[in-house]
């Protein structure tokens, strides 16, 4: 979501701030801005356009300074408008950028108005700027003021807070604070930076400090001073991180989403590289002693990652024979649950900083769940650092907001987790392990065969582009794949799409079926095929138009009202990984036909770092 970059140096820092925002664009945003100290005054530029427009503004105005903060905003409070864009000012003295939600901002606004503060925006963030300015009016210490924000007891402005702030009368330091959302410090030669992601400053500084929960940091040209949530001076580990700053080349592809769909064979190959057999050790040093004691799995995730967990539930219960719950992370901590200390809590996230999933993880630990495992694509993420065990997927940077290769690599990781638990529990023979490993290694080649279906899917997309509604059907472990297909279509084409277990058609959704309602069906050759064929006939009898992705040996034929695209091969338990790819392509090409912004769909962000 929101991207934050701050810097203090002896050189003009504006180009570095702008480049940092450019590297964070893929997260999604609807406005951006930058503020610096120039000639003893705070100056800023803001826009509701792209970072390129902000860059043009700063160059045209000659904006320059040796200290500054910059921000990309995804609107929560107040519409996307220049007046609501960050940085926000207080008293023409304080400049602040903020990520998070101030849950009690309304009473705080009234409190501040009562002592003379005015508000130019509708944002909750402006409250934080004034709260910091209020004590600095007498103490001139944004660092001390920021510490005060964490010491207000029940009046604390937010449970999740990430800020960077400077004062014009102290043009040698930038202050940052982290509560919930990740924030890093990057140390260079005679300069220092704050950022929401090390990627923002990669190549400029590679000595990285990952702030801990509750930390407040003051960065100067000479380094960083860190205080913890109790205002005690602390030392944090400095790591040398060679983050990849290179821009991603689209190559022959039209959008990053299309490129990332076609990168899935490589991403799966990289994720499986070097894995010669199934072992708990794939998931960390403690897994070998933890896994034998596990009697239940609790999966916590959001969005696409949640659907990967739903798919894994079928594997875990049928292959490893272990009871499994899958919870929407944003709901889990707001209801009463019964903790099981012998459960393995699995959190899944592409970025490793999804706010709801991180909060759910911490809630699970607070309830007494001690065994935690993260499946994540970012090795340096907060989620990876906070779990007992981990498995890193190797999908590479995913730019498109709609996740594709992160999803399929998550599925591969979850299948290996299933096999590892099955092996520990005595349900995986050597012969079965060898067969499963061979199937996993064959996945990249199998996916190439699925990607070759793109021309047929393009033909379907031209029909879908004229529709405003669609149904997706699946059975068993392909029901979550239908859910994921519907999510992809609505995310990027803005077509209303829903998914149902095919057997539920006659319990309500069948009322929606008309000739104008396309019905997409995932039809693998599995034990539920004959049941699914009956569901197909239910749709056809009501005049519905069916679009079926069928395995080659299902004997489902294209006829009037039924169009069939045949998958290259049936793939058993791993079939969901293959069947989701044509659904990704269908959503992508439908969005292209409708002319939407595929990589940056409206109202959405790549890394959702607010609740």
């Amino acid at each position: 979501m929101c991207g934050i970059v701050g810097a203090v140096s002896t050189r003009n820092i504006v180009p570095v701030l702008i480049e940092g925002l450019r590297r964070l664009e893929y997260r999604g945003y609807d406005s951006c801005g930058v503020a610096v100290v120039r000639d003893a005054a705070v100056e800023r530029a803001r826009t509701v356009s792209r970072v390129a427009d902000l860059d043009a503004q700063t160059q045209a105005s000659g904006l320059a300074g040796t200290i500054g903060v910059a921000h990309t905003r995804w609107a929560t409070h107040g519409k996307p408008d220049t007046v609501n864009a960050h940085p926000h000012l207080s008293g023409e003295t304080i400049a602040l950028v903020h990520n998070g939600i101030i849950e009690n901002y309304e009473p705080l606004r009234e409190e501040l108005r009562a002592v003379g503060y005015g508000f130019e925006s509708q944002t909750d963030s402006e409250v934080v700027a004034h709260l910091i300015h209020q004590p600095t009016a007498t103490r001139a210490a944004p660092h001390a003021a920021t510490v005060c924000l964490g010491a207000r007891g029940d009046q604390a402005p937010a449970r999740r807070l990430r800020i960077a702030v400077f004062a014009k009368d102290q043009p040698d330091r930038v202050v940052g604070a982290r509560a919930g959302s990740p924030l890093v410090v990057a140390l260079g030669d005679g300069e220092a930076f704050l950022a929401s992601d090390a990627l923002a400053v990669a190549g400029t500084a590679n000595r990285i400090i990952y702030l801990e929960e509750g930390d407040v940091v003051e960065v100067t040209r000479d380094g960083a001073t860190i205080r913890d949530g109790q205002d005690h001076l602390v030392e944090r580990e400095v790591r040398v991180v060679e983050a990849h700053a290179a821009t991603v080349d689209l190559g022959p592809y039209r959008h990053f989403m299309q490129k990332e769909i076609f990168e899935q064979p490589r991403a799966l190959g990289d994720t499986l590289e070097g894995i010669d057999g199934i072992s708990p050790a794939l998931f960390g040093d403690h897994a070998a002693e933890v896994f034998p004691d596990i009697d239940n799995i609790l999966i916590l995730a959001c969005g696409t990652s949640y659907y990967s967990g739903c798919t894994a539930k079928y594997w875990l219960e049928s292959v490893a024979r272990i009871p499994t719950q899958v919870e929407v992370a944003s709901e889990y901590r707001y209801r009463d649950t019964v903790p099981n200390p012998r459960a393995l809590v699995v959190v899944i996230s592409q970025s490793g900083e999804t706010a709801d999933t991180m909060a759910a993880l911490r809630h699970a630990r607070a309830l007494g769940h001690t065994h935690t495992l993260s499946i994540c694509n970012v090795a340096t993420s907060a989620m990876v650092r906070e779990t007992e065990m981990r498995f890193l997927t190797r999908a590479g940077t995913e730019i498109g907001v709609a996740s594709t290769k992160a999803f399929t690599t998550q599925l591969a990781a979850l299948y290996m987790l299933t096999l590892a638990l099955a092996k520990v529990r005595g349900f995986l023979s050597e012969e079965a392990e060898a067969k499963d490993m061979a199937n996993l290694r064959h996945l990249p080649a199998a996916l190439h065969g699925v990607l070759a279906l793109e021309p047929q899917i393009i033909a379907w997309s031209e029909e879908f582009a004229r529709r405003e509604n669609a149904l997706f059907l699946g059975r068993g472990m392909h029901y979550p794949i239908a859910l994921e297909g519907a999510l992809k279509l609505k995310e990027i084409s803005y077509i209303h799409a829903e998914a149902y277990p095919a057997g539920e058609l006659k319990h309500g959704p069948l009322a929606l079926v008309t000739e104008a309602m396309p019905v997409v069906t995932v039809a693998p050759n599995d034990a539920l095929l004959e049941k699914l064929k009956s569901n197909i006939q239910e749709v056809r009898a009501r005049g519905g138009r069916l679009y079926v992705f069928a395995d080659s040996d299902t004997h489902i034929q294209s006829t009037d009202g039924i169009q069939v695209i045949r998958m290259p091969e049936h793939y058993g338990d791993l079939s969901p990984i293959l069947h989701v790819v044509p659904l990704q392509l269908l959503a992508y090409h439908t969005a292209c036909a409708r002319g939407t912004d595929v990589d940056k769909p409206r109202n959405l962000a790549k890394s959702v770092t607010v609740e």
Side-chain angles (χ1 to χ4, degrees), residues 79-97:
K79 65 182 180 180
D81 198 345
T82 303
V83 74
N84 291 324
H86 297 221
H88 289 292
L89 306 185
S90 181
E92 300 299 321
T93 300
I94 297 290
L96 170 136
V97 293

Side-chain angles (χ1 to χ4, degrees), residues 543-586:
R545 300 190 64 84
L546 283 143
Y547 297 81
V548 183
F549 291 102
D551 285 348
S552 57
D553 50 359
T554 55
H555 305 295
I556 300 174
Q557 303 297 326
S558 292
T559 61
D560 182 39
I562 302 179
Q563 297 186 49
V564 178
I565 290 179
R566 298 204 174 281
M567 299 287 285
E569 56 185 303
H570 176 58
Y571 220 61
D573 284 342
L574 293 173
S575 174
I577 297 177
L578 271 65
H579 269 277
V580 76
V581 175
L583 301 183
Q584 296 169 350
L585 286 169
L586 179 62

Side-chain angles (χ1 to χ4, degrees), residues 290-291 293-302 305-306 308-314 316-317 321-349 356-375 383 387-389 414 417-418 421 425:
V290 170
F291 280 14
D293 191 47
I294 295 300
D295 67 3
N296 190 275
I297 304 291
L298 172 61
I299 297 175
L300 304 171
C302 298
S305 296
Y306 170 73
S308 71
C310 290
T311 306
K313 175 181 171 70
Y314 288 89
L316 286 160
E317 294 194 338
R321 302 181 194 178
I322 186 166
T324 301
Q325 296 171 263
V326 188
E327 297 262 7
V328 175
S330 59
E331 292 291 321
Y332 167 70
R333 69 192 182 103
Y334 294 110
R335 69 178 186 85
D336 293 331
T337 57
V338 180
N340 175 3
R342 294 185 63 190
L344 174 64
V345 177
V346 181
V347 286
I348 311 169
S349 170
D356 289 312
T357 309
M358 288 297 301
L361 168 64
R362 290 165 182 159
H363 179 67
R365 287 208 310 256
L367 292 176
H369 290 285
T370 57
H371 301 310
T372 58
L373 165 70
S374 58
I375 293 176
M383 186 173 293
T387 52
E388 179 186 23
M389 295 164 284
L414 287 162
L417 174 64
T418 298
L421 288 166
R425 294 165 64 84

